C-alpha cells in the first residue's frame, strides 16, 4: 500500500491492514509524501518481481496511470487499485482499455456513472482520427453511401413497395453489400474539426473546473468492510475520523458532511445500543469501566475545549475569532464579556475544563444558546461523534482525535515544538516554561524510514538492496516518515493520542500568533483576483514552511476574515464569488517558498472548487518559475525564492486558459 500522509489516508490504510490481517494476506505499507516521492517509489517498485498488487490511497486519482510515465511499463500482471478522494479523476485511468488500461482499478463513489457524456467525448478523441483533408471527406462520404445503400435495400424489401426501374433509389440499392471483413479493414470513421472542438471543450470543462473532494478513502474501505460483514467499532471509528478530517479542513461542505453523518449515526446505533434506562445519548458518562462504545453527540466549534481552558478553546477557534475579532483588544474584551454574561467567572474559564465546576459544565450549552447569538455566534455546534475508552480516560470526540492525529502527522518531528506542562502557562499569566516535544513512541518507530509489514519485517524504503538514506539525511529530509508511524500507532493507543493533544494546542497557539500578527500589521496584499500574504521573517518560519501547517494558517485567515472582506472572482469561468487567499512562507534552509492557495465560500459550511491548481500551473509556465510539488495537493507548491515575485505577478494577471 502506498499511503498519502493525511488523516483520511492514514485511517484507510489502518482499516485495510486490519482486513488483510484477518485473512492472513501479506502486505506492506509505505508512506508517500508527495509527487516527487511518488515518482521515486514508482521506479523502485518496478524492480520487485514478486509485486502483483499496488493500492494507492489518496494519491494517483488525477494522474494518467496507464501511461508510460507511471505504470505503463510495469509488468502486466501488476494490478493497481486507486482509492483517492481527490477530484477530478483521470479519464484515462477510468476508461482506458487494453492490458494497461484494464489493470488500473479506480474505486469510485458512483461519480463515474454520471460521466457518460465525458466518457463518450474522451473515447471519440482517443480512438477516432480527425478529419484533416477534403480527400478524406470524400472517402467518408463514399463509405456513408454504402451504408445508406444497405439501409435502403433492407427498407425496400421490408416495405414491399415496388420501385420504378429508372429510379435513383433502385440504382442505389443495387450497389454491392460490403462484407464484414472489408468493413474491418476500412479506416475508422473520421470526425470533423467542429465535432472535435466540441468534444475538447467538454473535456476542458471537466478538467478545468477546479479540484474538489469526493467520498473519503476511509469511507470507501468502510463500505468494503460492510460488504464483507466485518464492521466493528474500530472500523466505524476510523471511518468517522476520516469524514471529520474532511469537514474540519473544508474539503467537503456541511451538506455533504451531514449526508455521510446520517449513515454513520445508523451504524453507531446498530453497534452501540444504549441501555433501556438511558435517555441521553450525548452524555459523557461511561456505562461501565470497559465501555469502548461510539456515540453521537453535538460538537462545539471550540478548539479542544474538553482538554483546554474554556477561554483558550474559544480564543483559538477560527469561528469565534471571525465573529468577535479577537486579534484586537476590543475583540478580546467582547470574549471576556460574553463569558461574564453567561455567568462564568474569569478564574473558572482560565482553568482546565476538566477542573471547572460541574454545575457550570452542565449549563454551558444552555447558556451559550441564550447569550452567544447576541455576539453573532449563531452556528456554534455541528453533529459529530465521540468514543469511550473505559477506565483509561474520559471519552474523546472525533474532532479532538483528528486534531491530535493531524498534529502528529505535521509536527511530531521535523520542527522543534514546545508544549506546556500542566500547571504552567508558557508565556501566559502563570510563570513557567514549556518543554520540547518528544513522543514516547519515538524509540519504537522506524528511524530509518522503514516499511511496515504484517510479517514483523522492516525493510529500507529503497527495497531489497537495503541502500537507504544515510542517518544524516533521515532527520532532515524524511521526518514525515517517522511522523506517519507515530500517528499510525496513536490510532490504537489512547495514551499517545491524549499526549498529542498538547502538541495540537502548541500548534494552534502558533497559528493564532501568526494570524493575528498578519492582520494587525496589515500584511495582506489585495491583488486583482486574490489576496496574498508573504511570510519572510518571524520566530515560526520553520513551522509554517510545512505545507499542511501553512494550509491551516490560510484556512484560519479565511474563517477569521469571511465576514470582513468582500468576495472576488478567481478566474472568470464561474460567476460565484469566493475568498481566495495565497499564503507563501520562506524556507530558510532550502531558500525556497512554500505557496498555498485556498478558495473558500463566503458562507460558512459551503465549499468552492479550488482553482489554484490550474492557476499555479498557468502562472508557472508564463514566468518560467522553478517549482516542485511536495504534496499531492496541486494547490500547494514549492518555488525558488528568486522566482516568487514574478510568479505572484503572473498569478495576479489572471489565467491565460
Amino acid at each position: 500500500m502506498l499511503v498519502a500522509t493525511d488523516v483520511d489516508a492514514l485511517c484507510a490504510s489502518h482499516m485495510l491492514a486490519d482486513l488483510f490481517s484477518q485473512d492472513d494476506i501479506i502486505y506492506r505499507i509505505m508512506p508517500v509524501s508527495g509527487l516527487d516521492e511518488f515518482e521515486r517509489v514508482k521506479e523502485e517498485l518496478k524492480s520487485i518481481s514478486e509485486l502483483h498488487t499496488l493500492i494507492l490511497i489518496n494519491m494517483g486519482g488525477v494522474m494518467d496511470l496507464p501511461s508510460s510515465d507511471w505504470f505503463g511499463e510495469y509488468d502486466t500482471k501488476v494490478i493497481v487499485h486507486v482509492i483517492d478522494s481527490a477530484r477530478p479523476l483521470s479519464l484515462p485511468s477510468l476508461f482506458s482499455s487494453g492490458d494497461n488500461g484494464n489493470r488500473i482499478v479506480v474505486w469510485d463513489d458512483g461519480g463515474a456513472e454520471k460521466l457518460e457524456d465525458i466518457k463518450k467525448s474522451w473515447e471519440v478523441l482517443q480512438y477516432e482520427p480527425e478529419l484533416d483533408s477534403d480527400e478524406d471527406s470524400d472517402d467518408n462520404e463514399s463509405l456513408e453511401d454504402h451504408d445508406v445503400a444497405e439501409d435502403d435495400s433492407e427498407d425496400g424489401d421490408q416495405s414491399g413497395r415496388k420501385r420504378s426501374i429508372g429510379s435513383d433509389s433502385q440504382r442505389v440499392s443495387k450497389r454491392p453489400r460490403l462484407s464484414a471483413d472489408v468493413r474491418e479493414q476500412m479506416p475508422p470513421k473520421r470526425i470533423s474539426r467542429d465535432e472535435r472542438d466540441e468534444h475538447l471543450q467538454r473535456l476542458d470543462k471537466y478538467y478545468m473546473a477546479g479540484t474538489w473532494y469526493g467520498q473519503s478513502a476511509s469511507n470507501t474501505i468502510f463500505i468494503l468492510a460492510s460488504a464483507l460483514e466485518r464492521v466493528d467499532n474500530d472500523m466505524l471509528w476510523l471511518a468517522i475520523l476520516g469524514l471529520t478530517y474532511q469537514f474540519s479542513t473544508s474539503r467537503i461542505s456541511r451538506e455533504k458532511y451531514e449526508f455521510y453523518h446520517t449513515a454513520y449515526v445508523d451504524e453507531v446505533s446498530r453497534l452501540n445500543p444504549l441501555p433501556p434506562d438511558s435517555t441521553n445519548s450525548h452524555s459523557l458518562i461511561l456505562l461501565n469501566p470497559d465501555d469502548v462504545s461510539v456515540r453521537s453527540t453535538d460538537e462545539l466549534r471550540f478548539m479542544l475545549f474538553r482538554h483546554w481552558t474554556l477561554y483558550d478553546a474559544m480564543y483559538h477557534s477560527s469561528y469565534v475569532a471571525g465573529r468577535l475579532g479577537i486579534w484586537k483588544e476590543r475583540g478580546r474584551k467582547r470574549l471576556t464579556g460574553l463569558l461574564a454574561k453567561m455567568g462564568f467567572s474569569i478564574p473558572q474559564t482560565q482553568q482546565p475544563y476538566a477542573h471547572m465546576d460541574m454545575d457550570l459544565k452542565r449549563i454551558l450549552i444552555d447558556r451559550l444558546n441564550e447569550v452567544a447569538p447576541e455576539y453573532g455566534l449563531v452556528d456554534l455546534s455541528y453533529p459529530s461523534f465521540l468514543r469511550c475508552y473505559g477506565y483509561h480516560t474520559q471519552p474523546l470526540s472525533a474532532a479532538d482525535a483528528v486534531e491530535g492525529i493531524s498534529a502528529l502527522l505535521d509536527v511530531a518531528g521535523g520542527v522543534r515544538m514546545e508544549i506546556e506542562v500542566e500547571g504552567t502557562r508558557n508565556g501566559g499569566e502563570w510563570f513557567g516554561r514549556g518543554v520540547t516535544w518528544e513522543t514516547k513512541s519515538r524509540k519504537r518507530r522506524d528511524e530509518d524510514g522503514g516499511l511496515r509489514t504484517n510479517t514483523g519485517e522492516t525493510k529500507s524504503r529503497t527495497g531489497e538492496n537495503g541502500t537507504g538514506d544515510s542517518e544524516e539525511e533521515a532527520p532532515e529530509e524524511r521526518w514525515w516518515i517517522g511522523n506517519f508511524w507515530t500517528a499510525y500507532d496513536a490510532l490504537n493507543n489512547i495514551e499517545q493520542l491524549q499526549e498529542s493533544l498538547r502538541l495540537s494546542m502548541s500548534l494552534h497557539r502558533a497559528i493564532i500568533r501568526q494570524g493575528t500578527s498578519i492582520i494587525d500589521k496589515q500584511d495582506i496584499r489585495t491583488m486583482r483576483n486574490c489576496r496574498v500574504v508573504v511570510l519572510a521573517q518571524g520566530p515560526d518560519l520553520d513551522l509554517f514552511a510545512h505545507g499542511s501547517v501553512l494550509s491551516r494558517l490560510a484556512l484560519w485567515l479565511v474563517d477569521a476574515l469571511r465576514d470582513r472582506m468582500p468576495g472576488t472572482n478567481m478566474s472568470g469561468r464561474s460567476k460565484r464569488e469566493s475568498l481566495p487567499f495565497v499564503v507563501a512562507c520562506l524556507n530558510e534552509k532550502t531558500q525556497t517558498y512554500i505557496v498555498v492557495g485556498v478558495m473558500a465560500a463566503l458562507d460558512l459550511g459551503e465549499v468552492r472548487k479550488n482553482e489554484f491548481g490550474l492557476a499555479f500551473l498557468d502562472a508557472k509556465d508564463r514566468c518560467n518559475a522553478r517549482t516542485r510539488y511536495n504534496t499531492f495537493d496541486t494547490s500547494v507548491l514549492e518555488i525558488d525564492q528568486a522566482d516568487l515575485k514574478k510568479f505572484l505577478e503572473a498569478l495576479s494577471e489572471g489565467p491565460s486558459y
Side-chain angles (χ1 to χ4, degrees):
M1 284 186 281
L2 304 185
V3 186
T5 53
D6 63 64
V7 175
D8 179 33
L10 184 79
C11 294
S13 66
H14 204 294
M15 297 166 72
L16 263 182
D18 289 343
L19 292 175
F20 288 154
S21 297
Q22 293 173 22
D23 290 334
D24 294 328
I25 297 175
I26 297 176
Y27 65 87
R28 181 178 297 174
I29 299 176
M30 180 183 294
V32 181
S33 62
L35 290 174
D36 293 339
E37 181 72 12
F38 189 22
E39 290 183 4
R40 288 194 293 270
V41 170
K42 182 256 300 183
E43 293 299 324
E44 293 168 4
L45 294 177
K46 189 187 299 184
S47 61
I48 301 179
S49 58
E50 296 86 359
L51 181 67
H52 60 81
T53 303
L54 268 176
I55 302 176
L56 312 182
I57 302 182
N58 274 358
M59 69 179 76
V62 299
M63 303 169 191
D64 185 1
L65 298 181
S67 70
S68 58
D69 292 336
W70 291 104
F71 297 104
E73 297 179 354
Y74 268 53
D75 192 309
T76 54
K77 72 176 183 180
V78 178
I79 306 299
V80 181
H81 294 265
V82 182
I83 308 174
D84 194 356
S85 61
R87 300 291 185 271
L89 293 171
S90 168
L91 296 179
S93 297
L94 278 174
F95 303 129
S96 287
S97 57
D99 291 339
N100 274 334
N102 292 333
R103 60 127 163 244
I104 306 296
V105 182
V106 179
W107 295 34
D108 181 52
D109 56 3
E113 298 176 358
K114 303 175 183 178
L115 300 178
E116 287 300 323
D117 292 340
I118 302 293
K119 178 182 179 181
K120 180 180 178 181
S121 294
W122 179 83
E123 290 177 341
V124 167
L125 295 173
Q126 187 75 13
Y127 302 117
E128 296 187 11
E130 182 182 2
L131 184 65
D132 53 4
S133 68
D134 294 337
E135 183 178 354
D136 290 338
S137 178
D138 293 339
D139 291 342
N140 267 347
E141 290 176 1
S142 177
L143 292 176
E144 291 174 0
D145 287 343
H146 283 294
D147 294 338
V148 172
E150 295 173 20
D151 294 340
D152 289 346
S153 177
E154 292 174 0
D155 292 343
D157 293 340
Q158 292 173 1
S159 63
R161 291 183 298 176
K162 294 183 179 180
R163 301 176 185 269
S164 61
I165 296 176
S167 67
D168 293 337
S169 60
Q170 184 69 15
R171 288 197 300 271
V172 172
S173 66
K174 289 184 178 180
R175 289 183 179 179
R177 182 186 296 270
L178 298 178
S179 65
D181 294 338
V182 174
R183 283 181 173 274
E184 290 179 359
Q185 296 175 3
M186 288 183 174
K189 179 182 177 181
R190 297 178 182 272
I191 60 174
S192 67
R193 288 188 178 88
D194 290 341
E195 291 175 321
R196 189 176 188 84
D197 290 343
E198 182 180 348
H199 290 303
L200 283 172
Q201 186 177 8
R202 185 173 294 150
L203 295 191
D204 285 345
K205 184 178 180 181
Y206 172 74
Y207 279 121
M208 303 183 75
T211 58
W212 70 99
Y213 290 88
Q215 177 178 274
S216 66
S218 53
N219 189 59
T220 302
I221 305 303
F222 182 80
I223 294 173
L224 172 64
S226 299
L228 297 174
E229 298 182 351
R230 296 183 185 178
V231 170
D232 55 17
N233 269 336
D234 291 336
M235 285 276 184
L236 176 60
W237 180 243
L238 291 174
I240 288 172
L241 294 186
L243 174 65
T244 305
Y245 168 75
Q246 283 194 313
F247 182 62
S248 64
T249 54
S250 298
R251 295 191 172 196
I252 59 174
S253 65
R254 173 73 176 263
E255 181 181 3
K256 184 177 290 187
Y257 169 79
E258 291 185 348
F259 171 79
Y260 289 112
H261 174 272
T262 302
Y264 287 144
V265 167
D266 294 338
E267 287 295 319
V268 167
S269 300
R270 182 178 68 86
L271 295 174
N272 304 273
L274 292 172
D277 57 345
S278 177
T279 59
N280 184 10
S281 63
H282 303 290
S283 174
L284 293 179
I285 300 176
L286 299 176
L287 299 179
N288 57 68
D290 297 320
D291 183 13
V292 290
S293 62
V294 179
R295 304 185 198 172
S296 302
T297 188
D298 288 330
E299 185 70 15
L300 290 174
R301 295 183 184 272
F302 301 159
M303 187 59 60
L304 302 170
F305 77 94
R306 299 180 185 90
H307 313 276
W308 219 340
T309 70
L310 182 59
Y311 180 88
D312 282 337
M314 297 179 70
Y315 179 81
H316 291 87
S317 164
S318 59
Y319 176 73
V320 175
R323 294 300 189 274
L324 301 184
I326 53 89
W327 53 86
K328 294 182 179 179
E329 182 64 27
R330 181 172 176 269
R332 292 188 285 273
K333 288 182 178 179
R334 292 189 70 198
L335 175 57
T336 304
L338 166 63
L339 292 170
K341 195 168 185 178
M342 290 169 52
F344 287 61
S345 65
I346 292 179
Q348 285 289 332
T349 60
Q350 293 192 349
Q351 64 176 318
Y353 181 82
H355 299 160
M356 283 178 57
D357 289 346
M358 290 298 299
D359 292 339
L360 294 180
K361 287 191 282 188
R362 275 194 290 266
I363 65 173
L364 174 62
I365 302 298
D366 292 336
R367 291 294 174 85
L368 282 172
N369 291 334
E370 293 173 3
V371 179
E374 300 177 16
Y375 292 80
L377 303 174
V378 295
D379 193 13
L380 272 178
S381 64
Y382 60 92
S384 186
F385 302 91
L386 57 81
R387 186 168 194 186
C388 302
Y389 287 92
Y391 62 87
H392 293 286
T393 183
Q394 285 291 316
L396 186 68
S397 72
D400 293 346
V402 166
E403 289 296 333
I405 296 297
S406 296
L408 291 176
L409 284 171
D410 294 340
V411 294
V415 62
R416 185 177 182 274
M417 294 288 294
E418 283 195 356
I419 60 173
E420 287 187 3
V421 179
E422 188 173 355
T424 67
R425 293 290 298 272
N426 186 23
E429 295 177 357
W430 303 338
F431 292 100
R433 63 177 183 176
V435 297
T436 302
W437 163 264
E438 184 174 359
T439 177
K440 295 179 181 178
S441 64
R442 178 166 295 183
K443 295 181 180 179
R444 298 195 302 270
R445 77 189 186 202
D446 303 320
E447 290 288 348
D448 63 344
L451 314 177
R452 291 282 182 93
T453 71
N454 60 338
T455 60
E457 180 182 16
T458 301
K459 292 188 178 182
S460 167
R461 180 178 61 85
T462 53
E464 301 293 337
N465 55 13
T467 57
D469 293 346
S470 66
E471 293 182 0
E472 290 78 8
E473 291 176 339
E476 291 294 329
E477 299 182 3
R478 301 178 57 208
W479 49 266
W480 47 268
I481 295 180
N483 290 3
F484 179 90
W485 292 121
T486 299
Y488 188 92
D489 292 340
L491 289 175
N492 279 344
N493 190 319
I494 184 57
E495 293 181 358
Q496 292 183 34
L497 197 53
Q498 287 278 24
E499 183 185 5
S500 70
L501 299 181
R502 292 193 294 162
L503 181 63
S504 179
M505 293 175 188
S506 295
L507 179 59
H508 282 286
R509 287 191 189 97
I511 291 173
I512 286 287
R513 185 166 58 244
Q514 187 66 63
T516 54
S517 174
I518 289 171
I519 298 175
D520 281 340
K521 296 179 180 179
Q522 299 181 349
D523 288 337
I524 302 174
R525 288 189 294 159
T526 300
M527 307 182 81
R528 188 172 70 89
N529 53 3
C530 63
R531 293 174 177 84
V532 176
V533 176
V534 178
L535 306 178
Q537 57 184 357
D540 297 316
L541 278 186
D542 287 345
L543 175 62
F544 291 105
H546 293 62
S548 53
V549 180
L550 193 61
S551 296
R552 288 179 178 225
L553 175 61
L555 289 173
W556 185 90
L557 289 171
V558 166
D559 286 340
L561 300 174
R562 176 176 277 116
D563 298 328
R564 300 170 185 271
M565 284 189 170
T568 59
N569 191 297
M570 177 66 189
S571 65
R573 300 177 65 90
S574 172
K575 296 181 180 179
R576 306 181 74 179
E577 292 185 340
S578 62
L579 196 65
F581 260 89
V582 175
V583 184
C585 180
L586 175 65
N587 187 332
E588 295 178 308
K589 296 178 181 178
T590 61
Q591 293 299 300
T592 59
Y593 274 93
I594 306 299
V595 183
V596 170
V598 173
M599 291 186 67
L602 297 180
D603 297 325
L604 182 68
E606 292 188 10
V607 174
R608 295 280 186 269
K609 293 180 179 180
N610 195 324
E611 300 176 13
F612 276 111
L614 294 169
F616 283 174
L617 286 174
D618 179 68
K620 166 197 168 183
D621 292 340
R622 283 189 284 129
C623 69
N624 294 321
R626 291 158 289 184
T627 63
R628 58 179 295 195
Y629 287 92
N630 291 324
T631 71
F632 292 103
D633 188 347
T634 56
S635 61
V636 180
L637 60 80
E638 184 177 3
I639 187 170
D640 192 86
Q641 182 178 2
D643 295 334
L644 178 67
K645 182 178 179 181
K646 62 180 181 180
F647 174 80
L648 293 178
E649 290 175 353
L651 185 66
S652 66
E653 293 173 359
S656 61
Y657 49 85

